[in-house]
Amino acid sequence: MSDTQVARLASVEQFLTREHGNFIDGRQQASSGEQRLTVWDPATGRAIATTADASREDVDSAVASAWRAFVDRRWSGRLPAERERILLRFADLVEQHGEELAQLETLEQGKSINISRAVEVGSAVNWMRYTAGLTTKIAGQTLDVSIPMPPGARYQAWTRKEPVGVVAGIVPWNFPLMIALWKIMPALAAGCSIVIKPSETTPLTALRLAELAIEAGVPEGIFNVITGSGAVCGAALTSHPQVAKVSFTGSTLTGKHIARTAADRLTRVTLELGGKNPAIVLKDADPQWVIEGLMAGSFLNQGQVCAASSRLYIEAPIFDTLVAGFEQALKSLTVGPGMSERAQINALASWAHCEKVAGFLHEAEQSRAELIRGGAVPEGDGYYIQPTLVVNPDAALRLTREEVFGPVVNLVRVADGEEALRLANDTEYGLTASVWTKDLSQALGYSERLQAGTVWVNTHTLIDPNLPFGGMKQSGTGRDFGTDWLDGWCETKSVCVRY
């Protein structure tokens, strides 16, 4: 593979060399402390930028800014159509700066520039416009009531939706631009203000989004960004007394901690957490569809996708055929830096995560599991893991039950669909699943019995703004997307009038 890489834009180079602070009250502000966070390029292991390491005082300042802006009604007090136009202008600016944002995303996160362009920017812009349109669709209900007192009195009653207040948005490192917008856009569409905390390893695109939002016309204080550690900055934000809602995407362990903290104050939470997502492949499935669909569903963004298919349960009659097909597809993948348009598998997002995934594979090797590896990784200091198939892994291995979140997929032979269903549901997670078959009756039957928030048939991982998304069991609470999305960012107020 040629090592020719996409040339960095001048605006990208300029952004990387800036002295980034927190984004509060409509502008970059220096942190109250002197500590800095280093942003690393996963493809090379080299530092590319630094950002503020926010303190508790910085969190207080950001939340206070968001609270003032909310109480002043500088955003929610505007006509819904005006807010919609501003959010559409925000989407236009993200689209216009798409290459800049895509390059920043690839440089800080490691994913393919093709994915950054098509998914992080291209798909995110579609979500932005969809959500902006919901701004003018917020509606309550008129209600007939039967209040009998005093005799002869008459009543009219209705409900109205009102923004919940200040929202804390905690964004993970796997899709930092798009998932940030999944929190920013519904909050703003509902009339809330928001404080975004990106992962400390991928803070750059959130800071750039904040600048574009101000340029679009979002008022100062409505959209703030603080960059810092989860232990200090994240903990201070999610426990802040003026935060009315926390929207978190990340690990189940951290999500549980946030839920316990929120329970003390009855803070509303939406949690999109981990997954160990199964795919059931029945013997009548189309092998080409299965290989194409589950290679994409398993290895997109190096498997660093909460919805990724990581456990494939394949009926015995087609097991060997599919293992051979997956092996051929795996070994055809090119491994290289994200800024190469030809590389299909790229570096993992951080050194720490690379070491974690390597630990899962080392344990499997020690247990003499059958591993099928893809192409060799580039030499150097990047955070690379070879894409790997694990064939019929022992149930005692950690990678059979825990979320690996890397380019590692288990292929398991099963006697029939019932065994596959039992194994698929035998997990504490319940985020996504898929079933592969040409039989419509079987497709509908298994989709009802799989314990997952989203079930696909003959596809996996693909999502849409109009399709609600969220988890069952320990994969989270609440749903994002869809026409009812803003309900989770609003309070329902009942009004009753005697006349």
Side-chain angles (χ1 to χ4, degrees), residues 444-464:
L444 295 178
Y446 282 102
S447 68
E448 290 178 0
R449 298 168 68 193
L450 279 163
Q451 297 166 1
T454 299
V455 178
W456 292 282
V457 176
N458 295 328
T459 187
H460 198 112
T461 308
L462 303 179
I463 55 178
D464 184 86

Side-chain angles (χ1 to χ4, degrees), residues 81 99 171 224 304 339 416 425 438 462 478 486 497:
E99 180 63 16
V171 180
N224 306 273
Q304 298 169 129
M339 291 294 278
D416 54 34
N425 286 338
K438 296 176 184 175
L462 303 179
L486 300 193
V497 178

